[in-house]
């Protein structure tokens, strides 16, 4: 089946949906989502969206906090434009119907998270993402120009590499003409031709064994663009959230929002001792990379599988009112957060790098934009400041939409793109081959390419991954296409890119920490010594 649309959007989180709502008056929009429309990382966001609204906060303070967290690798021009557009984008979400919590005075009740010098996080209790996603999906469903294909999987973007050799030779630069999309139920592969394509496919936390990310986060967008020879960058900066609920066997790991530490919760060891001030004067509210490494160190020192977050000193009614989801979730595993400490452990959380884009969300492939977690805009540098991700998605989908609408009338369809060629694929692969390889990839990445790295560990990871890569490519060539094998292939590419980029970085910077390149602060103290195990 072939289909033509003006705007093809891969992904139905905040990045995809806000872009869709903005461009829909200009042409036909198709959103493809590989699960149910609302099954996105966006839906699980707890803490909120950072934006400047009231004094004493200023754009400059938010800019400086973002730069400080990014450890000198942010693109300052991008940081400045993102933060100065933050107020407008949050007001827009409010106008679409999103409810953020207010104080009795009528002012927004802004929270504070790690690395923020002011209270500036708009939130809806501890389920901000759910509120945003619900609001946007409702808007999308009302729009006559927007169609959603849920439970459809984008396999690859279409470029001139899909044309015969003669046609391919004629074109200059790589161009995107749409995507091949699989309907896993019927096994049909659709050819979707578009003038403009937006990749908004989210993150890749499932490359690690423990992650807060939902199952959809398998790095498909990064892998598609890498295969199409677009530029990918900064993949070595994978953020581990310091506090996911320690509940072995649960996947994804349930997040315990940083806002809880902003509310006064304190990290402690099993013997109830605070430890964060040994590592950073900001204590439990230091930026994530520092807190995650400190927890990792404490766990290695004690031999325990987790540390604790203590809320017992906080006012009970306020705690339950502000964090109802966390309170209820913990009760299901026998923890009453008003009486018991919460066992927490770091988990892979956010991909700071991704598809390289410019200030209008343009990738290095023509007519292909990227926004949201999949994009690398330059905002985060070596480490993302909490709650800047939803903001980045809103800002860059807005900027991409303006640029795409300006140019769409000059773009045509590429009718010469052939349909998917499934000849030669006869094998219905055994699922065990895929699930086992996936576990191996996750274990390699977690053991050798996690919070603490070394040259030796990275080399070992690359050698091991190469074997799985070859086996999987062989299987892929012969197999009838399924979503699972495509996702495995994509995660292997993501793992490969993280390792390769980590190997190229001969320093410890932000989220990339290597015992072979200790920072000055580490030489003085605690971290590097503890990692010699
Ligand atoms: P997502 O919301 O993840 O959407 C991705 C979409 O792409 C989905 O619709 C998926 O089906 C689709 N997709 C992917 N691959 C394919 C494919 N091959 N074919 C078809 N469709 C595909 N950030 C903050 O700023 N504040 C927070 O408080 C916060 N809390 C978080 C809490 C949790 C538990 C998690 C996991 C993340 C949190 N983050 C937070 C990060 C933030 O939620 C995400 O970075 C952001 O929501 C990403 O939005 P997105 O639109 O880029 O992608
Ligand atoms: C959290 O609520 O702690 C997550 C915030 C984020 O990832 O930005």
């Amino acid at each position: 089946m072939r289909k033509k649309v003006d705007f093809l959007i891969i992904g139905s989180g905040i990045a995809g949906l806000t872009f869709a709502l903005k461009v829909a008056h200009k042409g036909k929009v198709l959103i493809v989502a590989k699960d149910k429309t609302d099954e996105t990382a966006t839906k699980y966001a707890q803490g909120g969206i950072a934006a400047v609204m009231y004094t004493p906060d200023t754009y400059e303070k938010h800019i400086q906090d973002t730069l400080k967290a990014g450890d000198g690798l942010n693109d300052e021009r991008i940081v400045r434009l993102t933060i100065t557009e933050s107020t407008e984008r949050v007001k827009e979400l409010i106008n679409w119907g999103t409810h953020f919590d207010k104080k009795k005075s009528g002012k927004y009740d802004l929270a504070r998270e790690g690395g923020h010098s002011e209270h500036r996080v708009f939130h809806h209790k501890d389920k901000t993402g759910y509120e945003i996603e619900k609001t946007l999906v409702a808007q999308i469903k009302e729009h006559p120009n927007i169609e959603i294909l849920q439970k459809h999987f984008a396999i690859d973007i279409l470029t001139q590499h899909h044309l015969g050799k003669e046609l391919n030779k004629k074109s200059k630069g790589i161009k995107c003409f749409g995507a091949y999309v699989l309907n896993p139920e019927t096994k049909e592969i659709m050819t979707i031709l578009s003038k403009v394509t937006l990749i908004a496919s989210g993150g890749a936390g499932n490359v690690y064994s423990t992650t807060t990310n939902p199952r959809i986060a398998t790095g498909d967008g990064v892998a598609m663009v890498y295969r199409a020879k677009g530029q990918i960058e900064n993949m070595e900066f994978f953020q581990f959230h310091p506090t996911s609920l320690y509940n072995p066997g649960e996947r994804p790991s349930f997040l315990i929002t940083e806002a809880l530490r902003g509310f006064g919760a304190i990290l402690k060891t099993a013997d109830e001792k605070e430890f964060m001030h040994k590592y950073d004067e900001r204590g439990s509210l230091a930026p994530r990379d520092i807190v995650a490494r400190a927890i990792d160190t404490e766990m290695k020192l004690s031999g325990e599988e987790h540390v604790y977050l203590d809320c017992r000193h906080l006012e009970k009614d306020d705690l339950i009112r502000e964090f109802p989801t966390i309170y209820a979730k913990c009760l299901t595993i026998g923890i009453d957060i008003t009486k018991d400490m919460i066992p927490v452990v770091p988990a892979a959380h956010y991909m700071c790098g991704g598809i390289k884009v410019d200030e209008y969300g343009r990738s290095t492939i023509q007519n292909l934009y990227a926004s949201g977690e999949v994009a690398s805009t330059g905002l985060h540098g070596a480490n993302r400041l909490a709650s800047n991700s939803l903001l980045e998605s809103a800002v860059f989908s807005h900027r991409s939409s303006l640029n795409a609408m300006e140019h769409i009338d000059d773009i045509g369809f590429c009718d010469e793109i052939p349909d998917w060629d499934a000849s030669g694929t006869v094998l219905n692969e055994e699922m065990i081959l895929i699930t086992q390889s996936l576990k191996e990839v996750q274990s390699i990445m977690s053991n050798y390419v996690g919070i603490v790295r070394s040259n030796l560990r990275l080399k070992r990871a690359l050698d091991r991954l190469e074997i799985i890569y070859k086996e999987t490519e062989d299987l892929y060539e012969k197999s009838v296409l399924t979503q699972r094998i495509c996702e495995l292939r994509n995660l292997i590419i993501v793992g490969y890119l993280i390792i390769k980029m980590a190997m190229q970085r001969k320093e410890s910077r932000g989220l990339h920490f290597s015992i072979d390149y200790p920072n000055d602060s580490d030489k003085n103290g605690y971290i590097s010594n503890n990692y010699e195990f």
Side-chain angles (χ1 to χ4, degrees):
M1 179 180 157
R2 288 171 84 86
K3 206 172 168 71
K4 278 186 181 177
V5 292
D6 296 299
F7 301 94
L8 169 63
I9 301 172
I10 300 171
S12 57
I14 183 172
L17 298 184
T18 52
F19 180 91
L21 286 174
K22 281 161 184 280
V23 297
H25 68 275
K26 188 80 183 155
K28 211 169 163 20
V29 178
L30 177 68
I31 303 174
V32 179
K34 70 175 171 181
D35 204 306
K36 285 193 288 190
T37 306
D38 71 347
E39 184 53 16
T40 60
T42 301
K43 174 172 142 185
Y44 296 100
Q46 291 185 1
I49 176 163
V52 175
M53 187 63 95
Y54 307 126
T55 53
D57 200 8
T58 61
Y59 290 132
E60 195 53 35
K61 285 186 191 169
H62 191 178
I63 288 166
Q64 291 308 325
D65 291 344
T66 303
L67 290 171
K68 197 167 173 191
D71 208 2
L73 281 193
N74 324 62
D75 179 337
E76 187 167 339
R77 193 177 56 95
I78 295 293
V79 174
R80 288 190 175 277
L81 71 81
T82 307
I83 306 296
T84 49
E85 290 174 23
S86 64
T87 321
E88 276 311 299
R89 298 286 74 82
V90 165
K91 282 184 182 165
E92 199 165 52
L93 287 173
I94 294 168
N95 289 339
W96 274 320
T98 312
H99 293 102
F100 293 116
D101 290 353
K102 285 186 173 172
K103 293 182 185 169
K104 283 197 186 112
S105 66
K107 279 185 149 189
Y108 284 101
D109 177 20
L110 304 181
R112 188 172 159 204
E113 293 178 0
H116 288 275
S117 57
E118 291 291 348
H119 285 73
R120 63 168 74 97
V121 182
F122 288 76
H123 61 99
H124 181 98
K125 302 205 181 300
D126 55 359
K127 45 182 178 183
T128 311
Y130 180 83
E131 172 67 16
I132 293 176
E133 183 73 21
K134 183 185 77 178
T135 305
L136 294 175
V137 170
Q139 291 282 340
I140 290 285
K141 287 192 172 154
E142 301 233 314
H143 207 297
N145 256 4
I146 304 178
E147 184 189 350
I148 307 184
L149 274 183
Q150 56 175 358
K151 299 200 172 180
H152 278 65
F153 180 82
I155 305 163
D156 262 319
I157 55 164
L158 304 170
T159 64
Q160 61 267 45
H161 302 125
H162 294 97
L163 298 169
K165 270 198 183 135
E166 280 315 302
L167 286 169
N168 187 355
K169 258 191 231 157
K170 282 188 205 153
S171 46
K172 274 200 200 121
I174 307 168
K175 286 194 183 124
C176 177
F177 305 117
Y180 286 127
V181 172
L182 169 74
N183 177 346
E185 209 178 289
T186 62
K187 299 199 169 30
E188 183 189 10
I189 296 172
M190 301 162 71
T191 306
I192 300 187
L193 298 176
S194 60
K195 295 181 180 171
V196 161
T197 303
L198 173 81
I199 300 196
S201 55
N206 286 292
V207 76
Y208 288 99
S209 302
T210 309
T211 180
T212 61
N213 289 189
R215 285 186 190 274
I216 53 107
T218 53
D220 302 336
V222 164
M224 282 187 245
V225 170
Y226 179 73
R227 280 194 291 270
K229 307 206 184 316
Q231 200 174 332
I232 309 293
E233 66 174 14
N234 287 353
M235 292 294 287
E236 69 273 38
F237 300 118
F238 214 103
Q239 185 171 69
F240 282 73
H241 196 291
T243 55
S244 77
L245 181 65
Y246 175 76
N247 186 22
E250 183 173 19
R251 188 178 184 93
S253 301
F254 180 78
L255 185 78
I256 305 290
T257 177
E258 195 158 310
L260 195 49
R261 277 175 282 138
F263 196 72
I266 295 168
L267 283 162
K268 292 188 176 169
T269 48
D271 53 1
E272 305 200 9
K273 291 208 173 81
E274 288 184 38
F275 59 84
M276 269 315 301
H277 279 100
K278 284 194 286 176
Y279 301 90
D280 192 285
E281 61 191 13
R282 290 164 286 187
S284 291
L285 273 179
R288 282 186 192 166
D289 56 332
I290 296 172
V291 182
R293 272 202 302 277
I295 294 176
D296 195 65
T297 303
E298 290 295 328
M299 282 163 41
K300 289 203 168 91
L301 282 174
S302 66
E304 301 279 345
E305 291 189 349
H306 55 79
V307 294
Y308 289 95
L309 194 60
D310 193 355
C311 308
R312 295 171 301 176
H313 55 289
L314 301 171
E315 212 286 312
K316 184 178 166 181
D317 292 341
D318 291 348
L319 184 63
I320 297 173
R321 192 188 59 246
E322 293 292 321
F323 301 98
T325 317
I326 293 176
Y327 176 68
K329 169 71 190 182
C330 289
L331 275 184
T332 65
I333 57 166
I335 296 163
D336 177 345
I337 66 171
T338 66
K339 298 188 186 129
D340 308 309
M341 295 203 294
I342 311 171
V344 289
V345 66
H349 183 60
Y350 185 82
M351 179 174 77
C352 289
I355 302 168
K356 183 180 167 55
V357 295
D358 68 7
E359 70 269 36
Y360 291 109
R362 287 180 293 203
S363 74
T364 53
I365 297 179
Q366 285 174 52
N367 307 331
L368 181 71
Y369 295 75
S371 175
E373 189 163 340
V374 75
S376 176
T377 62
L379 175 68
H380 309 310
N383 183 22
R384 177 181 66 104
L385 186 66
S387 291
N388 264 357
S389 168
L390 293 172
L391 172 64
E392 182 193 41
S393 308
V395 168
F396 278 83
S397 287
H398 173 72
R399 298 181 72 85
S400 308
S401 73
L402 295 180
N403 194 274
M405 287 190 289
E406 197 182 321
H407 292 105
I408 191 145
D409 293 337
D410 306 325
I411 307 171
F413 292 106
C414 182
D415 290 311
E416 293 86 358
I417 291 284
D419 284 338
W420 181 268
D421 179 7
S423 56
T425 54
V426 287
L427 199 69
N428 280 310
E429 88 278 354
E430 291 176 68
M431 207 42 90
I432 184 69
L433 297 177
I434 293 177
T435 50
Q436 191 52 33
S437 294
L438 177 60
K439 277 189 198 151
E440 284 174 38
V441 172
Q442 290 167 337
S443 146
I444 291 167
M445 293 302 292
S446 296
N447 290 329
Y448 303 130
V449 202
I451 296 174
V452 177
R453 300 161 181 178
S454 74
N455 291 338
L456 194 63
R457 291 181 201 181
L458 293 177
K459 165 87 174 66
R460 180 168 292 192
L462 190 63
D463 291 346
R464 302 282 194 277
L465 199 67
E466 243 157 35
I467 298 169
I468 306 175
Y469 168 76
K470 284 187 187 127
E471 286 170 359
T472 308
E473 286 304 298
D474 187 46
L475 192 64
Y476 175 80
E477 290 301 322
K478 295 180 201 145
S479 299
V480 174
L481 204 80
T482 63
Q483 181 170 333
R484 295 296 296 275
I485 194 163
C486 291
E487 288 177 337
L488 171 62
R489 257 185 113 213
N490 292 341
L491 284 170
I492 291 172
I493 289 182
V494 167
Y496 169 81
L497 291 170
I498 297 174
I499 297 169
K500 281 300 244 193
M501 292 187 195
M503 283 174 143
Q504 280 159 16
R505 187 161 287 287
K506 309 282 185 213
E507 61 175 345
S508 286
R509 196 49 108 78
L511 297 162
H512 172 72
F513 183 85
S514 168
I515 54 176
D516 293 312
Y517 310 103
N519 289 319
D520 286 346
S521 58
D522 306 323
K523 280 184 204 141
N524 297 336
Y526 55 93
I527 287 185
S528 51
N529 295 342
N530 295 333
Y531 286 125
E532 305 295 343
F533 57 94

